[in-house]
Amino acid sequence: MLYMGVDLKTSTRQRSSLAVIDSNSRIVEASFFSDDDELLESASSFMPRLIAIGSPLTLPTGLCCLEATCDCQMDAPEKKGRQAELELARMGISCFFTNKKSIVTKLVYRAVSLNHRLTERGHSLIEVYPHASKLLLFGDNLPSKRNVKESLVFLRERLPGLVDGLEERLVNLDASSCDSLINAHIALLHDRGETDVVGDASEGLIALPSLLRTQGDG
């Protein structure tokens, strides 16, 4: 069985990354794609048991879009975003809220579209959040993403503890590749029942490494 992780960029002009691991958490593939059709082709080729995408896959309940000019409204207008995002915030984990003032609207639209297209083709998806995954897996000493060099060194040192077979690939891994590998690992953990989920099933869930598991590992 295979598991796919995707780190999605806002624009097709940027390279998004995907990673595929097997049920032993050993790397099978690490590559880039630009167009959404390329991701669909890769999913059809590998037929992963589960695909984990690190971007919002759903809109808040009540919204048909994120356009300020549209009359659609959240079912609970006082909420800043989706229930999953509110729960992350209560955990002290920073995140972007999905609402009509979101600064990542284009990314959300792309991810929601891919969710529909992949699901229509019979693929199973989960939403993950790489920043939260890294905090839970590696602890609060996670370097800031603004410090690109330090953050990349940090991840390259720790990824071999999650995914086997990276020895010859580590030097070529960029931040996006690291995130897609982490997302693939969370897909595997989720299939094993080793994740917690936040959010409301009717609106969209985010899978996180199990707190009990990560505390036990520590």
Side-chain angles (χ1 to χ4, degrees):
M1 292 183 290
L2 301 178
Y3 301 86
M4 179 179 286
V6 177
D7 182 62
L8 193 64
K9 300 302 182 185
T10 300
S11 170
T12 56
R13 292 192 295 270
Q14 300 171 286
R15 295 195 310 171
S16 299
S17 65
L18 69 86
V20 179
I21 62 174
D22 64 20
S23 56
N24 294 315
S25 199
R26 186 171 185 84
I27 189 163
V28 174
E29 172 80 355
S31 58
F32 297 96
F33 66 95
S34 296
D35 187 82
D36 292 352
D37 288 340
E38 295 177 57
L39 176 59
L40 295 174
E41 291 172 6
S42 293
S44 296
S45 175
F46 288 104
M47 290 302 295
R49 180 174 173 85
L50 191 60
I51 301 173
I53 297 182
S55 303
L57 300 181
T58 56
L59 298 177
T61 305
L63 294 188
C64 68
C65 66
L66 298 178
E67 304 305 315
T69 55
C70 182
D71 292 334
C72 64
Q73 295 183 358
M74 290 188 193
D75 285 357
E78 72 280 2
K79 292 170 64 175
K80 292 182 179 180
R82 299 179 303 161
Q83 183 62 30
E85 295 154 355
L86 298 176
E87 292 181 31
L88 286 174
R90 285 197 289 269
M91 294 169 65
I93 298 174
S94 61
C95 64
F96 292 113
F97 291 106
T98 305
N99 56 41
K100 292 196 175 188
K101 297 180 180 179
S102 174
I103 64 173
V104 292
T105 296
K106 290 182 179 180
L107 175 62
V108 174
Y109 283 165
R110 186 179 186 189
V112 169
S113 173
L114 276 170
N115 183 20
H116 290 314
R117 295 181 69 186
L118 286 164
T119 301
E120 286 174 353
R121 287 162 173 76
H123 298 290
S124 297
L125 281 76
I126 58 168
E127 181 180 334
V128 294
Y129 181 32
H131 176 63
S133 297
K134 286 180 277 193
L135 283 173
L136 293 169
L137 289 169
F138 305 137
D140 293 336
N141 61 336
L142 188 70
S144 169
K145 290 183 72 172
R146 295 186 183 91
N147 191 332
V148 177
K149 184 176 181 180
E150 182 182 352
S151 178
L152 192 54
V153 169
F154 181 93
L155 292 175
R156 286 174 176 173
E157 289 176 348
R158 286 158 179 78
L159 274 172
L162 301 181
V163 179
D164 291 333
L166 291 178
E167 293 79 6
E168 296 181 0
R169 299 176 183 255
L170 278 176
V171 69
N172 294 318
L173 293 179
D174 63 7
S176 180
S177 299
C178 290
D179 281 358
S180 64
L181 283 164
I182 290 170
N183 294 348
H185 181 70
I186 304 304
L188 172 58
L189 294 184
H190 189 73
D191 195 41
R192 291 176 175 172
E194 298 178 10
T195 57
D196 297 319
V197 294
V198 294
D200 186 319
S202 65
E203 183 181 51
L205 302 171
I206 297 177
L208 306 171
S210 171
L211 284 171
L212 291 176
R213 178 182 182 276
T214 54
Q215 289 170 0
D217 289 347

